[in-house]
Amino acid sequence: MVGKVCIIGAGPSGLSVLCWFAKRRREGKTIPELVCYEKQSNWGGLWNYTWRTGSDQYGEPVHGSMYRYLWSNGPKECLEFPYYTFEDHYGKPIPSFPPREVLFDYLKGRWNQEDIKKYIKFSTVVRDVCYNQATDDFTVSTKDLTTDEVADGERFDYVVVASGHYSIPNVPTFQGIEKFPGRVMHAHDFREANEFAGKRLLLIGASYSAEDIALQCLKYGAKNIICTWRTKAMGFNWPDGISERPLVQKFEGKTAFFKDGTTAEVDVVLMCTGYLHSYQFLRENLRLKSRNTLYPSNLYKGIVWMKGGNNKLLYLGVQDQCYTYTMFDVCALWAAKLIQADFTLPPREQMERNWQSWAERNSELKDVFQMIDFQTDYVQELAKECGSDYPYDLDVADIFYAWAKHKAENVATYRDQSYASKFTGTKSPIHHTTFMKALDDSLQTFMDQRKN
């Protein structure tokens, strides 16, 4: 019987682990001693919005990259829990693309189903995790931020890393940017689109954050936005005011020079250049090093670390994502079942072949539809291995396909679409205000489905 488990991070992945263990305890099963360390003062991970940027009140790097006015960029029907639907939570069907506050409230409803807050040590940052080969366990050193005290190392049988990978920005440099006479920032520090009303923005990057922040800034009054790409343009049917150009090469004053020979005057440079996997609290043999990808290397089932820790260091939520809440959920259950020896791991050679085959398939993906199929197969495989503890069909690829097609048709209106829940069969209502005109993203306004 495993005696003690450390969970690092009280976001959706870490809290799913706690929920599954708590459910087992409620059912009369013996569970390990659980300790979850969370550096923020409340749960939620990235969903726990903060106005702070740079450093927090304790001098720690701010974890959150969440910004005001964020709405789901995928249908809620693709992320709802099969056993706790949005209709269960809100008592009625709601539109398919909710804003942040609505999604966070839904998550908190799921977490409050179980008695899990007692396991969490808030405002506690993990400083060091070391695997002890002689005793086949881990020593975890932490600091209580509220008292400014470093605790003695605590011993654990398993460590679950659920600290996320959208908090350490990747910040490239460009010739002349050090003399740019305007705002230069990374999307990690973006909080408020109204700041850029009337401004000319240059967004560096061609992925989800560039796409969404471009729309947000246009929606709240930016004069125009240029998105500059390194490898491939996003290629959407953009509304007037947003355009794309090949990668910016240099800056002279407020003039940006692009690879195609064109120039543009800009007031703000906003880097939407992604995030780094960073686990500075882990010793070298325990640290995952990866770009943002659907299947990081050296992780059996995308969970069990293969290069140190004797299969007792588990990573959750480290993939790039089509699926989100449900993927975190089934990964968490799989991890909990492993910890409690509901199943045993195969020989190491078989584990190596397994992750390598997934990684090879990942490297051959050609488009968003293949990405959807890839992650669908991944979550379905984990759900199957969880057996009767997870008797749900998580395959929502058909909804993802429709979403991708709507987005390709018009990136400014895809959030105005409606989908049916796989688990209730209910088709969502159309929101009372189209996305590009819905300036109030509060839960109260969203839930009031009377026409404005």
Side-chain angles (χ1 to χ4, degrees), residues 107-343:
L107 283 172
K108 288 186 286 188
R110 159 63 179 128
W111 302 331
N112 282 320
Q113 285 187 312
E114 305 291 351
D115 182 19
I116 60 173
K117 267 199 171 178
K118 63 186 179 184
Y119 299 121
I120 306 171
K121 292 187 177 182
F122 291 108
S123 300
T124 303
V125 62
V126 175
R127 287 287 189 240
D128 183 63
V129 178
C130 173
Y131 174 66
N132 309 305
Q133 191 163 357
T135 51
D136 192 26
D137 63 0
F138 299 85
T139 300
V140 178
S141 300
T142 62
K143 179 183 179 181
D144 185 325
L145 298 174
T146 60
T147 62
D148 195 27
E149 293 180 351
V150 176
D152 293 335
E154 198 166 349
R155 303 291 279 270
F156 291 92
D157 297 289
Y158 275 80
V159 171
V160 178
V161 179
S163 54
H165 60 104
Y166 294 118
S167 60
I168 307 297
N170 173 47
V171 186
T173 189
F174 298 89
Q175 181 182 337
I177 199 167
E178 71 278 3
K179 295 181 179 179
F180 180 77
R183 184 83 185 273
V184 178
M185 63 187 295
H186 189 276
H188 176 60
D189 296 322
F190 177 78
R191 293 291 183 270
E192 170 61 79
N194 283 299
E195 174 184 353
F196 305 110
K199 302 288 187 181
R200 301 165 296 181
L201 276 71
L202 175 63
L203 272 55
I204 301 175
S207 193
Y208 292 121
S209 58
E211 163 209 320
D212 196 58
I213 291 174
L215 290 172
Q216 294 281 3
C217 290
L218 184 68
K219 180 176 175 178
Y220 288 91
K223 186 174 181 180
N224 61 65
I225 300 112
I226 298 171
C227 298
T228 180
W229 49 272
R230 180 183 60 186
T231 305
K232 183 181 179 182
M234 289 179 276
F236 292 119
N237 177 23
W238 295 105
D240 291 343
I242 302 177
S243 61
E244 294 189 80
R245 300 194 194 187
L247 188 63
V248 63
Q249 301 297 294
K250 66 177 182 177
F251 295 90
E252 291 181 4
K254 284 195 169 185
T255 304
F257 292 77
F258 299 94
K259 194 172 183 178
D260 62 358
T262 62
T263 62
E265 295 286 308
V266 297
D267 304 306
V268 177
V269 177
L270 208 167
M271 297 194 188
C272 301
T273 43
Y275 294 86
L276 303 172
H277 280 274
S278 179
Y279 308 98
Q280 297 177 12
F281 49 87
L282 296 174
R283 297 290 176 94
E284 184 63 23
N285 64 328
L286 304 177
R287 280 202 300 136
L288 170 67
K289 297 179 181 180
S290 178
R291 61 185 178 85
N292 191 28
T293 178
L294 288 171
Y295 205 98
S297 298
N298 299 300
L299 290 171
Y300 175 65
K301 300 293 180 179
I303 297 171
V304 182
W305 179 241
M306 297 289 297
K307 298 184 74 175
N310 194 26
N311 300 331
K312 294 183 175 183
L313 178 70
L314 311 180
Y315 281 89
L316 294 182
V318 294
Q319 304 92 340
D320 195 3
Q321 296 140 16
C322 299
Y323 289 77
T324 52
Y325 300 169
T326 52
M327 180 171 70
F328 305 151
D329 195 49
V330 74
C331 285
L333 176 59
W334 191 95
K337 288 172 70 68
L338 173 66
I339 290 168
Q340 296 218 259
D342 283 12
F343 52 78

Side-chain angles (χ1 to χ4, degrees), residues 375-413:
Q375 201 153 75
T376 299
D377 290 346
Y378 172 69
V379 298
Q380 289 285 77
E381 179 175 289
L382 288 181
K384 182 178 179 181
E385 292 185 8
C386 288
S388 61
D389 287 325
Y390 211 87
Y392 308 109
D393 178 6
L394 296 178
D395 184 349
V396 288
D398 56 336
I399 303 176
F400 274 125
Y401 293 163
W403 160 80
K405 291 173 182 175
H406 288 144
K407 195 172 177 182
E409 290 166 3
N410 193 325
V411 73
T413 62

